[in-house]
Amino acid sequence: MRRRPLPTAEEALEILKRRRTRPQRRPPPPAGKSLAPLIKQLDEKFGQGPAVLQARWREIVGETLARRTEPVRVIKSRTGEGGTLELRVDGPVASLIQHQAPQITQRLDLLLGKGAVTKLRIVQGPVKAQAAPVVARPRRRPPLDAAQERDLADSLANQPDGGLKDALLKLGRGVLRDPR
């Protein structure tokens, strides 16, 4: 079997003019573009769910209860009236939640809309550990230099040894370190 020789540059141009090449494939549209209307419909039908609540749970119930509780799901009522928020609660905190239910539902009305949640369903069980808020530690100030330390000790030399002298030394160091 003999191979055909390759076409020359002019012949290649002529072949390309006669034949139509396939157009380049377009990339598919972003998935979010077609999902956005569906998500909007589902949100209108079923509500936002616990994801919105979990993000702002500390604001709703406070720091103490947020560590011992977590929202699980929002259950819509069959009649279309207010739903029920299912809470997972750690042990004896359930009585506190039950006592504060009216305040919690009022705060939920502010976030989700009036009448979105009318009841709380309390389920006792383990609560996922939430990340503690980052507390800024005070910056350590540099120690006094030797001359300042000596001047402070000289000014307190006539004080009797004991707790008062130690407290005055500590106060003096704090005052001298503060740049204000």
Side-chain angles (χ1 to χ4, degrees), residues 13 15 36 46 59-60 62 67 72 97 103 112 117-118 132-133 138 145 153 158-159 163 172-173 177-178 180:
L13 282 173
I15 292 171
F46 297 108
E59 297 173 33
I60 295 169
R67 280 183 273 143
V72 178
I97 293 293
Q103 290 90 357
L112 300 175
V117 173
T118 56
D145 60 8
N158 59 358
Q159 294 293 324
R173 288 181 185 127
R177 283 186 200 141
D178 194 9
R180 291 181 266 155

Side-chain angles (χ1 to χ4, degrees), residues 12-75:
L13 282 173
E14 192 62 37
I15 292 171
L16 286 175
K17 285 180 186 176
R18 280 185 280 139
R19 291 191 179 171
R20 291 187 61 179
T21 59
R22 286 188 185 170
Q24 266 190 333
R25 286 190 174 193
R26 279 189 265 165
K33 185 176 180 180
S34 60
L35 285 178
L38 176 67
I39 290 173
K40 189 173 181 179
Q41 287 176 349
L42 290 174
D43 189 30
E44 289 171 1
K45 185 175 180 182
F46 297 108
Q48 296 175 347
V52 174
L53 296 178
Q54 287 173 348
R56 301 184 70 185
W57 191 241
R58 283 188 201 284
E59 297 173 33
I60 295 169
V61 296
E63 183 68 34
T64 307
L65 290 178
R67 280 183 273 143
R68 311 284 307 267
T69 63
E70 68 177 344
V72 178
R73 62 183 174 158
V74 178
I75 305 166

